[in-house]
Amino acid sequence: MCGIAGIVSLRDGSPPPGLDELQAMTGALRHRGPDEFGIYRDARAGLGHARLSIIDLATGQQPLSNEDGTLWIAFNGEIFNYLELREELVALGHRFRTRSDTEVIVHAFEAWGEAAFARFNGQFAVALWDAARERLVLARDRLGVRPLYLCEHAGRLWFASEVRALFAGAPDLPRALDPVGLAETFTFWTVVPPQSVFAGVTELEPGHVRTVTRQGTTDRAFWEPSYPAGEGGFRGPLDEAVERVRAALEQAVRLRMLRADVPVGSYLSGGLDSSLVAALGRRVKGDRFCTYSIRFEDAEYDETAFQRAVAVRIESDHREIVVRRADIAEAFPDVVAHAERPLLRTAPAPLFLLSRLVRDSGIKVVLTGEGADEMFAGYDLFREGKVRRFWGRQPASALRPRLLERLYPYLARSPVAQRAMAREFFGKGREQPGVPGFAHQTRWQSAAALQRLFTPGLRAATRSVDVVARLLGDLPPAFGAWAPLSQDQYLEVRTLLSGYLLSSQGDRMLMAHSVEGRFPFLDADVVELANALPPSYKLRVLDEKHALKRAAEGLVPPQIVRRPKQPYRAPDALSFVGPDAPGWAAELMSPDGVARVGVFEPRAVERLWRKCQASAGGEQFSNADNMAVVGVLSTGLLHERLVRRAPERGGRLELTTLVDRLGERPGLANAVQERHAT
């Protein structure tokens, strides 16, 4: 795991990348890779790399090149099938000087061009500079585990793993929040790439490769989620599917445990997904194996009993942190700064604290259960969509909506608790169950209602862009032929998986403390198998993740397999009020603080804040108001940390690798790599 950054001149006359610019960008990513730093530059391009050493600790330094020094790479991530690809490449005559997966990417691109990226089973953001042809190639993994941002400024293309690095490298780059990015965030909970929340900054889409030359830019998908038409492409019986799922997961975990030259631990939430991953990881490890859990002081969110039951079963070396509301409030400014986007929930904050515990215990890599709900239909949203479609076939039925009462048993303020209100809320649009986005409509509309807090100017700026229509207008041609559940899964992957779960709760919170997350449920083979399964194998009547539960039997305690789905949640708005409330929260919610950001109407926020403060004394506080408070606070923090203030450039780096071809000495034109401390 690492951070990458770079600059490429787009036209003649543009200045060459400066070492100070590349140092500033790379230094801004120090938390992503504190172990080693490297820079390459020539007259047209520069690459920076901050390394977290996981594979080939001795010789995996970057930027790294091919044999003749014409193709250079800066790479963030892991290619888990790199040993198998290396064998293929050796058979084709390629020679290797390191044991790293990074060098495999270089030779794979030489051998197969852009088609190489579809061969990778991994999580990656790659920048390849072809000095001979003067072309830059950028690629991002299939599901967007690793981030990659871009912007054009002053005749040059800037790119980096995080937006802060763009701002650090180019202090004169205009910094502002993007109205459409805000509208997407306050609809989908996140932006949908290539949209970002910063004006002038875009995010490379997952599964895409972009090629940049003097003649222009091409962008194409090398992979997209797809599902067989109708009832799935897997034609075997359920028992066979269960065996295939178990075998694929065992292999995915094995790859992620063994393809590392450092110890690997595992997160353990107490739910099915992380418990299964931890159990399989323990089998591979064979000796000391560390698991890590979050406990909550608030009983409503705490899953300690389930976590400890799994830890005892698999005999792991188990570590815990106890999170209080005050801990969430204290960490939240740093959480937002690392997330680099507004948040509507505080759930990333405990994960930020957990990754610190992991790093303090000496572990650099953890397995997590993220992705299982998207791949195997685990969310209540999928069950909700099925019930609403069933109801929609007989809209006047009084019995069919009773099925809604089987949803959300874990919520103290369940949206189905009041039958009349639930029927009104979930019944909207039920007469049109075939409309794209049907299952997501209620959630998108609920989040979009928060835009009532936007200033009139911002509402006017976003009025011309219907973000839902834009998303649904860019669906794959085959979308209409997929089963309804497959359509729901696709939209969940397209929106929430990459932009929120894998970013705000995943990569960003892990890398804040230099920890790499690995996601067995997002293994390429696991994903292809899950997408091919008949919908009834995943959502059997209303039993979510049915095939996965069957695959977990005998590996995790029975009470975990039988346990009703309980999503990971954390205390939200009430973390910021009461006797332990942080002073920064009141300042940001004040009329002056809100006006300074320019996103929300100060008087509307003032009314919301008074309501939130009253709720600290026990008054009811709705889910919508809860999200609104967190959204306003996080937007204010983001503006303060990344818009109002320029990121600190930091001091000079001690470079392990420096290849400077701008002013190279005679005889160094074909040098592959120069390494020295600066």
Side-chain angles (χ1 to χ4, degrees), residues 97-109:
R97 64 181 184 277
T98 75
R99 297 184 298 107
S100 69
D101 53 346
T102 307
E103 192 177 6
V104 169
I105 298 174
V106 174
H107 290 287
F109 186 78

Side-chain angles (χ1 to χ4, degrees), residues 242 246 250 272 275-276 279-280 283 313-314 548-562:
V242 169
R246 184 193 286 236
E250 286 176 340
L272 175 71
S275 299
L276 178 54
L280 292 172
R283 277 188 166 191
R313 169 70 174 265
I314 67 175
L548 186 63
K549 289 178 179 177
R550 292 270 304 272
E553 290 175 354
L555 292 170
V556 300
Q559 66 265 38
I560 302 296
V561 177
R562 295 193 301 265

Side-chain angles (χ1 to χ4, degrees), residues 227 373-374 377 379-389 433-441 444 479 482-496 539:
Y227 306 82
D373 289 314
E374 288 79 8
Y379 289 128
D380 277 309
L381 177 140
F382 301 130
R383 302 199 299 162
E384 182 185 299
K386 189 170 185 176
V387 171
R388 292 179 63 234
R389 288 187 177 99
V435 172
F438 173 80
H440 292 76
Q441 286 172 345
W444 292 345
F479 183 87
W482 296 341
L485 178 63
S486 300
Q487 295 180 358
D488 298 344
Q489 288 182 272
Y490 171 84
L491 286 170
E492 195 71 0
V493 167
R494 180 81 182 274
T495 55
L496 210 66
L539 185 57

Side-chain angles (χ1 to χ4, degrees), residues 58-376:
T59 63
Q61 291 79 16
Q62 299 181 45
L64 180 148
S65 77
N66 60 354
E67 295 94 332
D68 63 5
T70 58
L71 183 63
W72 290 87
I73 185 174
F75 161 52
N76 167 28
E78 309 289 351
I79 307 299
F80 297 114
N81 62 335
Y82 78 100
L83 292 179
E84 292 77 10
L85 292 172
R86 179 184 173 122
E87 288 183 7
E88 285 189 58
L89 292 163
V90 169
L92 292 174
H94 290 263
R95 293 175 295 135
F96 289 81
R97 64 181 184 277
T98 75
R99 297 184 298 107
S100 69
D101 53 346
T102 307
E103 192 177 6
V104 169
I105 298 174
V106 174
H107 290 287
F109 186 78
E110 286 184 308
W112 303 310
E114 291 183 5
F117 300 115
R119 288 173 171 253
F120 297 155
N121 185 356
Q123 47 195 51
F124 56 84
V126 173
L128 285 158
W129 171 243
D130 185 341
R133 300 183 183 182
E134 293 195 327
R135 64 172 175 169
L136 173 71
V137 178
L138 303 172
R140 190 176 178 204
D141 65 71
R142 300 176 179 212
L143 290 162
V145 177
R146 301 303 167 214
L148 189 57
Y149 293 90
L150 310 94
C151 70
E152 291 187 21
H153 176 62
R156 298 191 288 179
L157 176 70
W158 304 68
F159 60 89
S161 296
E162 297 184 10
V163 176
R164 73 178 68 219
L166 303 178
F167 293 159
D172 59 336
L173 182 71
R175 298 188 304 277
L177 297 177
D178 185 273
V180 176
L182 289 169
E184 283 198 346
T185 301
F186 283 82
T187 300
F188 308 126
W189 289 25
T190 180
V191 288
V192 180
Q195 182 67 49
S196 91
V197 79
F198 295 99
V201 176
T202 60
E203 186 175 4
L204 186 63
E205 292 184 67
H208 276 63
V209 56
R210 178 172 298 183
T211 302
V212 181
T213 66
R214 288 182 188 271
Q215 289 69 46
T217 299
T218 61
D219 197 349
R220 72 172 187 86
F222 65 83
W223 183 87
E224 290 182 295
S226 64
Y227 306 82
E231 285 302 304
F234 182 89
R235 300 300 181 187
L238 177 58
D239 287 346
E240 181 185 343
V242 169
E243 290 304 315
R244 290 274 300 277
V245 167
R246 184 193 286 236
L249 280 171
E250 286 176 340
Q251 176 63 7
V253 171
R254 178 175 295 277
L255 282 175
R256 284 153 183 78
M257 288 294 299
L258 298 181
R259 302 278 160 98
D261 295 331
V262 296
V264 179
S266 188
Y267 277 175
L268 184 55
S269 71
L272 175 71
D273 312 329
S274 65
S275 299
L276 178 54
V277 165
L280 292 172
R282 181 69 177 85
R283 277 188 166 191
V284 174
K285 182 66 174 173
D287 53 9
R288 182 170 174 264
F289 181 62
C290 293
T291 52
Y292 300 88
S293 293
I294 300 167
R295 296 175 57 197
F296 286 102
E297 189 176 66
D298 293 73
E300 179 182 347
Y301 309 95
D302 192 58
E303 302 179 64
T304 301
F306 298 103
Q307 297 160 356
R308 290 180 176 176
V310 177
V312 169
R313 169 70 174 265
I314 67 175
E315 299 180 331
S316 63
D317 181 355
H318 191 57
R319 318 285 177 88
E320 303 170 335
I321 57 167
V322 178
V323 176
R324 303 169 301 132
R325 293 178 183 180
D327 299 323
I328 291 173
E330 181 181 2
F332 204 59
D334 287 336
V335 166
V336 173
H338 280 285
E340 295 192 325
R341 62 194 66 197
L343 302 172
L344 304 187
R345 295 290 193 193
T346 64
L351 291 165
F352 172 88
L353 299 171
L354 185 62
S355 73
R356 185 169 65 193
L357 171 68
V358 172
R359 186 65 192 203
D360 288 347
S361 72
I363 295 291
K364 286 185 176 182
V365 182
V366 289
L367 307 179
T368 91
E370 296 289 5
D373 289 314
E374 288 79 8
M375 298 307 136
F376 291 94

